[in-house]
Amino acid sequence: MNIGFIGLGIMGKPMAKNLIKAGHKLTVFDIVQENVDALKAEGAAAAASPKEVAEQNNLIITMLPNSPHVKAVILGENGVIEGAAKGATIIDMSSIAPLASQEIAKACAKKGVKMLDAPVSGGEPKAIDGTLSIMVGGDEENFNEVKGVLAAMGASVVLCGAIGAGNTTKLANQVIVALNIAAVSEAFMLSTRAGVDPIKVFHAIKGGLAGSTVMNAKIPLIIEGNFKPGFKVDLHMKDLANALETGHEVGAPLPLTAQAMEMLQYLHSHGAGQDDHCAIAKYYEALAGREIRSI
C-alpha cells in the first residue's frame, strides 16, 4: 500500500521503517532533513510539504508532538487537508487532547476525509521492534480498513470507541505509567536509604503483586543511572497536562496525576526535560540526597 508518513522523530522514524519492512511504499515528510534522509535510505520517497504527502497518498499517518502541531500539519497552510482527496484516511498517531482529535476530525469530515486517532504506548524500544500498543478511536469500518497497516507497527491494536477514544485511553495509560514510575522510585529510594541493595529488592518483588511492566523496564535503568530518553520527561508533561485538562472538562478528579505533574515540572526546571521519564527517580534522589544505585 502507498502510505504518507509525517513526523519522523524518536517514535515516528522506527514506526515508518517497520511499515517499509512490511512491504508498504512510503512518502515521508519531516522538518528535520536528517530524519527524512534516514527514511530515504530505507527506500522511502520524500515530499516537500504535508500537502504534497496527501496529494500522493490516500492513507496519511501523522506522528507529532502535540495538539497544535497536529492541527497545523493537517488543517494549516500547505497542510494535509489541502492535498487530500475525498475518501482519503488520516491516522493521527500522536498523543494529543481528545477534544482536539474530535475538532480535527470534524473539519476533515467536511471535506470528505476520514480520520482515526491512534496513539501508541511502548516508547522507542517497542517502536523499533514493532510491538507497540495502539489505541484507536473512530468509525469501526474505517478501523477495519487500516487495521493491517497498524498491525505492522504494533503487537496490540484495539478500537476503543468513537473519535477521541484512542487519546482518552492513551491519557489513562500515561497517568498509570507516571504514577507507577513515581511509586517504584519512592519504594526503591526507601530500600536504598535503609541499606538494602535495590537490585536484590527488584528481583525479590518483581514476580509478586507489586511487579509491573513499568518496574521491569525502568528500575534496571534507574539503578544504572541510565536516563537516555526512550520517552522524554517533557513529552510526559505534555500528556499529563492533556490528562488534567480533560479531567477538568469531564469532571474526573486527578489528584495523584497533579502531584506527578509537579515532579515532572521540577525535572524540567532542573534541566532534565530531555531525559527519559524514569528520571522521576531524580526527583526522589534530590530530596533524599542519595542516588538509587546497587549497594
Side-chain angles (χ1 to χ4, degrees), residues 62 204 259-260 290:
T62 52
Q259 183 63 48
R290 180 165 181 173

Side-chain angles (χ1 to χ4, degrees), residues 1-6 19 24-27 53-54 56-62 80 84-85 87-92 114-116 142 145-150 153:
M1 180 180 290
N2 294 327
I3 300 171
F5 202 108
I6 301 170
L19 289 174
H24 300 290
K25 295 182 179 180
L26 261 60
T27 304
V53 171
Q56 298 176 21
N57 300 275
N58 279 330
L59 177 59
I60 305 99
I61 295 172
T62 52
V80 171
T89 298
I90 298 170
I91 307 175
D92 178 40
K114 300 173 284 187
M115 179 176 163
L116 299 168
N142 296 344
E145 289 174 354
V146 301
K147 186 176 180 180
V149 172
L150 295 173
M153 298 176 282

Side-chain angles (χ1 to χ4, degrees), residues 97-185:
L99 291 179
S101 292
Q102 293 168 2
E103 178 186 341
I104 296 166
K106 186 176 181 180
C108 290
K110 290 179 180 178
K111 295 200 172 185
V113 174
K114 300 173 284 187
M115 179 176 163
L116 299 168
D117 65 305
V120 305
S121 178
E124 184 183 18
K126 289 185 178 295
I128 291 171
D129 63 24
T131 59
L132 292 165
S133 294
I134 304 175
M135 301 148 266
V136 188
D139 179 79
E140 185 173 5
E141 183 178 349
N142 296 344
F143 169 73
N144 288 332
E145 289 174 354
V146 301
K147 186 176 180 180
V149 172
L150 295 173
M153 298 176 282
S156 170
V157 183
V158 178
L159 180 64
C160 301
I163 192 75
N167 273 304
T168 299
T169 304
K170 176 60 185 290
L171 293 182
N173 180 88
Q174 294 303 82
V175 167
I176 293 169
V177 171
L179 296 180
N180 204 330
I181 295 174
V184 298
S185 297

Side-chain angles (χ1 to χ4, degrees), residues 223-269:
I223 292 173
E224 292 172 9
N226 179 4
F227 301 106
K228 179 183 176 182
F231 188 77
K232 295 177 182 178
V233 164
D234 283 349
L235 288 176
H236 212 137
M237 280 182 64
K238 175 263 297 183
D239 289 340
L240 293 195
N242 284 333
L244 290 166
E245 179 184 352
T246 303
H248 293 156
E249 290 167 347
V250 303
L254 300 171
L256 296 179
T257 303
Q259 183 63 48
M261 183 65 160
E262 291 302 309
M263 295 178 188
L264 294 174
Q265 183 62 54
Y266 170 89
L267 294 170
H268 173 82
S269 298

Side-chain angles (χ1 to χ4, degrees), residues 122-126 177 180-181 184 188 202 206 210-224 226-228 230-231 276-279:
E124 184 183 18
K126 289 185 178 295
V177 171
N180 204 330
I181 295 174
V184 298
F188 279 80
F202 171 62
K206 67 179 182 180
S212 69
T213 300
V214 170
M215 186 173 75
N216 289 345
K218 300 301 182 181
I219 279 298
L221 298 178
I222 290 169
I223 292 173
E224 292 172 9
N226 179 4
F227 301 106
K228 179 183 176 182
F231 188 77
D276 187 83
H277 53 174
C278 71

Side-chain angles (χ1 to χ4, degrees), residues 181-193:
I181 295 174
V184 298
S185 297
E186 191 166 307
F188 279 80
M189 179 54 75
L190 171 64
S191 75
T192 301
R193 267 302 201 180

